CSV table of all heavy atoms in Angstrom, one decimal:
chain,number,residue,atom,x,y,z
A,31,HIS,N,12.9,31.1,9.5
A,31,HIS,CA,14.3,30.9,9.5
A,31,HIS,C,14.6,29.9,8.4
A,31,HIS,O,13.9,28.9,8.2
A,31,HIS,CB,14.9,30.5,10.8
A,31,HIS,CG,16.3,30.7,11.0
A,31,HIS,ND1,17.3,30.0,10.4
A,31,HIS,CD2,17.0,31.7,11.7
A,31,HIS,CE1,18.5,30.4,10.7
A,31,HIS,NE2,18.4,31.5,11.5
A,32,ILE,N,15.8,30.0,7.7
A,32,ILE,CA,16.1,29.1,6.6
A,32,ILE,C,16.6,27.8,7.1
A,32,ILE,O,16.5,26.8,6.3
A,32,ILE,CB,17.1,29.8,5.6
A,32,ILE,CG1,18.4,30.2,6.3
A,32,ILE,CG2,16.4,31.0,4.9
A,32,ILE,CD1,19.4,30.6,5.4
A,33,HIS,N,17.1,27.7,8.3
A,33,HIS,CA,17.7,26.4,8.7
A,33,HIS,C,17.6,26.1,10.2
A,33,HIS,O,18.3,25.2,10.7
A,33,HIS,CB,19.2,26.3,8.2
A,33,HIS,CG,20.1,27.4,8.8
A,33,HIS,ND1,20.8,28.3,8.1
A,33,HIS,CD2,20.4,27.7,10.1
A,33,HIS,CE1,21.5,29.1,8.8
A,33,HIS,NE2,21.3,28.7,10.1
A,34,SER,N,16.8,26.8,10.9
A,34,SER,CA,16.6,26.6,12.3
A,34,SER,C,15.2,26.1,12.7
A,34,SER,O,14.2,26.6,12.1
A,34,SER,CB,17.0,27.8,13.2
A,34,SER,OG,18.4,28.1,13.1
A,35,PHE,N,15.1,25.2,13.6
A,35,PHE,CA,13.8,24.6,13.9
A,35,PHE,C,13.7,24.5,15.4
A,35,PHE,O,14.6,24.5,16.2
A,35,PHE,CB,13.8,23.2,13.3
A,35,PHE,CG,14.0,23.2,11.8
A,35,PHE,CD1,15.2,23.2,11.3
A,35,PHE,CD2,12.9,23.2,11.0
A,35,PHE,CE1,15.4,23.2,9.9
A,35,PHE,CE2,13.1,23.3,9.6
A,35,PHE,CZ,14.3,23.2,9.1
A,36,ILE,N,12.4,24.3,15.9
A,36,ILE,CA,12.1,24.2,17.3
A,36,ILE,C,11.2,23.0,17.4
A,36,ILE,O,10.3,22.8,16.6
A,36,ILE,CB,11.5,25.4,17.9
A,36,ILE,CG1,11.2,25.2,19.4
A,36,ILE,CG2,10.2,25.8,17.2
A,36,ILE,CD1,10.8,26.5,20.1
A,37,CYS,N,11.4,22.1,18.4
A,37,CYS,CA,10.6,21.0,18.7
A,37,CYS,C,9.4,21.4,19.5
A,37,CYS,O,9.6,21.8,20.7
A,37,CYS,CB,11.4,19.9,19.3
A,37,CYS,SG,10.6,18.3,19.4
A,38,VAL,N,8.2,21.3,19.0
A,38,VAL,CA,7.0,21.7,19.7
A,38,VAL,C,6.1,20.5,20.0
A,38,VAL,O,5.6,19.9,19.0
A,38,VAL,CB,6.2,22.8,18.8
A,38,VAL,CG1,5.0,23.2,19.5
A,38,VAL,CG2,7.1,23.9,18.4
A,39,PRO,N,6.0,20.2,21.2
A,39,PRO,CA,5.2,19.0,21.6
A,39,PRO,C,3.7,19.2,21.5
A,39,PRO,O,3.0,19.2,22.6
A,39,PRO,CB,5.7,18.7,23.0
A,39,PRO,CG,6.0,20.0,23.6
A,39,PRO,CD,6.6,20.8,22.4
A,40,ASP,N,3.1,19.5,20.4
A,40,ASP,CA,1.7,19.7,20.2
A,40,ASP,C,1.0,18.6,19.5
A,40,ASP,O,0.1,18.8,18.7
A,40,ASP,CB,1.4,21.1,19.6
A,40,ASP,CG,2.0,21.2,18.2
A,40,ASP,OD1,2.7,20.3,17.8
A,40,ASP,OD2,1.7,22.2,17.5
A,41,GLY,N,1.4,17.4,19.8
A,41,GLY,CA,0.9,16.2,19.2
A,41,GLY,C,1.8,15.6,18.2
A,41,GLY,O,2.6,16.3,17.5
A,42,ILE,N,1.9,14.3,18.2
A,42,ILE,CA,2.8,13.5,17.3
A,42,ILE,C,2.0,12.9,16.2
A,42,ILE,O,1.1,12.2,16.4
A,42,ILE,CB,3.6,12.4,18.1
A,42,ILE,CG1,4.5,13.1,19.2
A,42,ILE,CG2,4.4,11.6,17.2
A,42,ILE,CD1,5.2,12.1,20.1
A,43,ARG,N,2.5,13.2,15.0
A,43,ARG,CA,1.8,12.6,13.8
A,43,ARG,C,2.4,11.2,13.5
A,43,ARG,O,3.6,11.0,13.7
A,43,ARG,CB,2.1,13.5,12.6
A,43,ARG,CG,1.5,13.0,11.3
A,43,ARG,CD,1.7,14.0,10.2
A,43,ARG,NE,1.3,13.4,8.9
A,43,ARG,CZ,1.4,14.1,7.7
A,43,ARG,NH1,1.9,15.3,7.7
A,43,ARG,NH2,0.9,13.6,6.6
A,44,PHE,N,1.5,10.3,13.2
A,44,PHE,CA,2.0,8.9,12.8
A,44,PHE,C,1.1,8.4,11.7
A,44,PHE,O,0.0,8.9,11.4
A,44,PHE,CB,1.9,8.0,14.1
A,44,PHE,CG,0.5,7.7,14.5
A,44,PHE,CD1,-0.1,6.5,14.1
A,44,PHE,CD2,-0.1,8.5,15.5
A,44,PHE,CE1,-1.4,6.2,14.5
A,44,PHE,CE2,-1.4,8.1,15.9
A,44,PHE,CZ,-2.0,7.0,15.4
A,45,CYS,N,1.5,7.3,11.1
A,45,CYS,CA,0.7,6.6,10.1
A,45,CYS,C,1.1,5.1,10.1
A,45,CYS,O,2.1,4.7,10.6
A,45,CYS,CB,0.9,7.2,8.7
A,45,CYS,SG,2.4,6.8,7.9
A,46,GLU,N,0.2,4.3,9.5
A,46,GLU,CA,0.5,2.9,9.3
A,46,GLU,C,0.1,2.5,7.8
A,46,GLU,O,-0.9,3.1,7.3
A,46,GLU,CB,-0.3,2.0,10.3
A,46,GLU,CG,0.1,2.1,11.7
A,46,GLU,CD,-0.7,1.3,12.6
A,46,GLU,OE1,-1.6,0.6,12.1
A,46,GLU,OE2,-0.5,1.3,13.8
A,47,ALA,N,0.8,1.6,7.2
A,47,ALA,CA,0.4,1.1,5.9
A,47,ALA,C,0.7,-0.4,6.0
A,47,ALA,O,1.7,-0.9,6.5
A,47,ALA,CB,1.2,1.7,4.8
A,48,GLU,N,-0.3,-1.2,5.5
A,48,GLU,CA,-0.1,-2.6,5.5
A,48,GLU,C,-0.7,-3.2,4.2
A,48,GLU,O,-1.7,-2.7,3.6
A,48,GLU,CB,-0.8,-3.3,6.7
A,48,GLU,CG,-2.2,-3.0,6.9
A,48,GLU,CD,-2.8,-3.6,8.2
A,48,GLU,OE1,-2.0,-4.1,9.0
A,48,GLU,OE2,-4.0,-3.6,8.3
A,49,GLN,N,-0.1,-4.3,3.8
A,49,GLN,CA,-0.6,-4.9,2.6
A,49,GLN,C,-0.3,-6.4,2.6
A,49,GLN,O,0.8,-6.9,3.0
A,49,GLN,CB,0.1,-4.3,1.3
A,49,GLN,CG,-0.4,-4.8,0.0
A,49,GLN,CD,0.1,-4.0,-1.2
A,49,GLN,OE1,1.2,-3.3,-1.0
A,49,GLN,NE2,-0.5,-4.1,-2.3
A,50,CYS,N,-1.3,-7.2,2.1
A,50,CYS,CA,-1.1,-8.6,1.9
A,50,CYS,C,-0.9,-8.8,0.4
A,50,CYS,O,-1.4,-8.0,-0.4
A,50,CYS,CB,-2.3,-9.4,2.3
A,50,CYS,SG,-2.6,-9.5,4.1
A,51,ARG,N,-0.1,-9.8,0.0
A,51,ARG,CA,0.1,-10.1,-1.4
A,51,ARG,C,-1.2,-10.3,-2.1
A,51,ARG,O,-2.1,-11.1,-1.6
A,51,ARG,CB,1.1,-11.3,-1.6
A,51,ARG,CG,1.5,-11.5,-3.0
A,51,ARG,CD,2.7,-12.3,-3.1
A,51,ARG,NE,3.9,-11.7,-2.5
A,51,ARG,CZ,4.6,-10.8,-3.1
A,51,ARG,NH1,4.3,-10.4,-4.3
A,51,ARG,NH2,5.7,-10.3,-2.5
A,52,ASN,N,-1.4,-9.7,-3.2
A,52,ASN,CA,-2.7,-9.8,-4.0
A,52,ASN,C,-3.9,-9.1,-3.2
A,52,ASN,O,-5.0,-9.3,-3.6
A,52,ASN,CB,-3.0,-11.2,-4.3
A,52,ASN,CG,-1.9,-11.9,-5.1
A,52,ASN,OD1,-1.3,-11.3,-6.0
A,52,ASN,ND2,-1.7,-13.1,-4.9
A,53,GLY,N,-3.5,-8.3,-2.2
A,53,GLY,CA,-4.6,-7.7,-1.5
A,53,GLY,C,-4.5,-6.1,-1.6
A,53,GLY,O,-3.5,-5.6,-2.1
A,54,PRO,N,-5.5,-5.4,-1.1
A,54,PRO,CA,-5.4,-3.9,-1.2
A,54,PRO,C,-4.4,-3.3,-0.2
A,54,PRO,O,-4.1,-3.9,0.9
A,54,PRO,CB,-6.8,-3.5,-0.8
A,54,PRO,CG,-7.3,-4.6,0.1
A,54,PRO,CD,-6.7,-5.9,-0.4
A,55,LEU,N,-3.9,-2.2,-0.5
A,55,LEU,CA,-3.0,-1.4,0.4
A,55,LEU,C,-3.9,-0.7,1.3
A,55,LEU,O,-4.8,0.1,0.9
A,55,LEU,CB,-2.1,-0.5,-0.4
A,55,LEU,CG,-1.2,0.4,0.4
A,55,LEU,CD1,-0.2,-0.4,1.1
A,55,LEU,CD2,-0.6,1.5,-0.5
A,56,VAL,N,-3.7,-0.8,2.6
A,56,VAL,CA,-4.6,-0.2,3.6
A,56,VAL,C,-3.7,0.9,4.3
A,56,VAL,O,-2.6,0.5,4.8
A,56,VAL,CB,-5.1,-1.2,4.6
A,56,VAL,CG1,-6.0,-0.5,5.6
A,56,VAL,CG2,-5.9,-2.2,3.9
A,57,VAL,N,-4.2,2.1,4.4
A,57,VAL,CA,-3.4,3.2,5.1
A,57,VAL,C,-4.2,3.8,6.2
A,57,VAL,O,-5.4,4.1,6.1
A,57,VAL,CB,-3.1,4.3,4.0
A,57,VAL,CG1,-2.4,5.4,4.7
A,57,VAL,CG2,-2.3,3.7,2.9
A,58,PHE,N,-3.6,3.9,7.4
A,58,PHE,CA,-4.1,4.6,8.5
A,58,PHE,C,-3.2,5.8,8.8
A,58,PHE,O,-2.0,5.8,8.5
A,58,PHE,CB,-4.1,3.7,9.8
A,58,PHE,CG,-4.9,2.4,9.6
A,58,PHE,CD1,-4.3,1.3,9.0
A,58,PHE,CD2,-6.2,2.3,9.9
A,58,PHE,CE1,-5.0,0.1,8.9
A,58,PHE,CE2,-6.9,1.1,9.8
A,58,PHE,CZ,-6.3,0.0,9.2
A,59,ALA,N,-3.8,6.8,9.5
A,59,ALA,CA,-3.0,7.9,9.9
A,59,ALA,C,-3.6,8.4,11.3
A,59,ALA,O,-4.7,8.0,11.7
A,59,ALA,CB,-3.0,9.1,8.9
């Protein structure tokens, strides 16, 4: 469908990103 959606509770995606000044960017998912 071009504009209709269904909410399917088959797991929730998430991520985290953190960085200290002058430090590396760290990414979790």
